[in-house]
Amino acid sequence: MCQVTNPDRLCPILHVFGLMDHVRWAQPAAYDTINYCANDLTPDEKLLTHWLCYITDRQTPFQRIWDVGGYVLSHLVRCYTRERDRPVRNLINDYILRENRTVWLRCPLPPAGANARLSRYENVIVNGAVTFASRYMADDLVRMYRTLETLARNEWDRSFAGFLADCLGDGDDRYAAIRRTATALSRLTYDGRSYDQATLQEGFADAAQRAANFAMPAQAGDALYGRKRLWCSLRDYLKSAEFNRELVAALQAAGLATAETWARNNGALRHALHALELPGDVWNNAFEFRAGLFLPYLTNVPGNWDMPRIIRAIYNRLRENQELQFHPEQLDVSFDFVPRMCQRNQCDVCPFGGGVEQLCHQHEDLLCPVTLACCGYRYRCSPANCPLRENRTRGFCHQNLAGGVAPD
C-alpha cells in the first residue's frame, strides 16, 4: 500500500500548506458571511442555514450560494423553526416553484426590496420573490427535506444544534466525537441514492421513510471520503471564527454542558482537528498539483485514490515526525492555491518552484506578498517568525516550469 519515500521533502511541503491554512483562518472572515434574510436569526438557525447552503454546493458558484441561496434558505429555516406546528412537507412545498422540467426555491421579498447583495444578480427577483436554483436542485431538495424531517423528530424539536449536541456528547475524546458527528451528519443528509426532477416525489417519500427510521450512530462508521460538502461544513463549525462562535452559542442554548470546549481556541480541539478529512475537489485532484508535489515522493499509490485518501495515508505515516505541523484537511487551501499558481504556471514565484525571493520583502506589518500571491490571503508580515522566508521548499515540485533547483 501507499508508502512515503522522502519524508524530508514531504514534511516541509506540508508545513507550508499548514502555514497557509493558519493564515486563511486567522483572517477576520475566510469568505463573506451568508446573506441572511433577517437580522434576528438565532445561532441555531444560522448553523442550519449554513448546512442547507452546503447541500447545494455542487457546480454552482460559491458566492451565489452564499448571497442568493443563503437568503432563500435562511427564510425557509426561520419559518421551519418558528412555525413548529406546520408539517415539514407543507412548508417546503410552499417554497418550491416548478415550471416545466425546472424547479426552484423562492421566498418573498421584504417591503424594502432587494438588499445590496441580491442586487448584484440578474433574474433572481421574479414577481416580488427571490428565486434560487442549484445545479442539482431536485436532489438537493430531497436531501433538505430529509434533513428537516429528521430534525423535526421529538428528540431534537427542529434544532440542528440539539442534533449536534447529541453527536458531540460530553466526553473528553474530541477526535472520536468529530468522527462520530461526521457519520451522523452523513446519515442525516447524504447517504442513499440521488434523485432528479422526474423522481422528486419518490425522493420525498424515501426521505420521509429515512427520517422516520433514523438512528444516531453510537460511534464513527467508515471513512467518509467523497463527502466534500459534509467536511466543508464541519470544518467551518470548528475553524471559522464566525461559524465557530455560532456553534458554541447554539450548543450552549441546546444545553450541552461542555459547549465551551468546542471553541476553536481550545487546545484539545486543535489537537483533534486531524479527525477532519480533506474535502476532495477539482483543485486538489488537479494533475499538476498531485504529480508535482506528492506522487514523486510516494510509491504504491492505488490508481483509484484521490487526494483525500492520499493525504490521509501520508499523514498516517508521518504523524509521528516532529517536523510535521499539519493535518489532512489543511490541504484544502489548494482551493485557493491551485487556480492562482498551478493553473497560471506561476512556477517562478511558487514556494515549491522557483522560490519566493522575488516576492518576500520581510517588512514588518506590511502585507505578506507570498500568501497574497499564492492564495489571496491578507496577512501581516512578521519576518522574525516566518518560515516562508527560509525558502526551504524551492524546487521541490516536479512540475516546476521555472527552472532553478532540479528535483531529485
Side-chain angles (χ1 to χ4, degrees), residues 11 54 122 143 231 328 357 369:
C11 280
Y54 257 117
E122 296 181 1
R143 299 185 188 284
W231 291 115
E357 292 99 330

Side-chain angles (χ1 to χ4, degrees), residues 53-65 132-137 140 228-229 280-282 335:
C53 281
Y54 257 117
I55 292 176
T56 70
D57 187 20
R58 288 183 293 174
Q59 299 179 29
T60 301
F62 187 82
Q63 198 63 52
R64 187 182 186 90
I65 293 171
F132 172 72
S134 63
R135 175 67 176 82
Y136 302 98
M137 194 74 253
D140 293 344
K228 170 191 170 182
R229 295 168 288 169
D281 59 27
V282 296
F335 178 83

Side-chain angles (χ1 to χ4, degrees), residues 119-173:
S119 298
R120 301 174 187 172
Y121 300 88
E122 296 181 1
N123 304 322
V124 300
I125 312 300
V126 179
N127 297 325
V130 185
T131 62
F132 172 72
S134 63
R135 175 67 176 82
Y136 302 98
M137 194 74 253
D139 186 59
D140 293 344
L141 280 170
V142 172
R143 299 185 188 284
M144 290 180 198
Y145 173 58
R146 186 210 303 185
T147 300
L148 298 178
E149 195 70 80
T150 304
L151 295 177
R153 289 172 34 161
N154 291 337
E155 301 99 304
W156 305 297
D157 194 25
R158 305 197 180 198
S159 171
F160 187 49
F163 180 88
L164 291 174
D166 278 357
C167 296
L168 295 171
D170 55 6
D172 295 330
D173 190 340

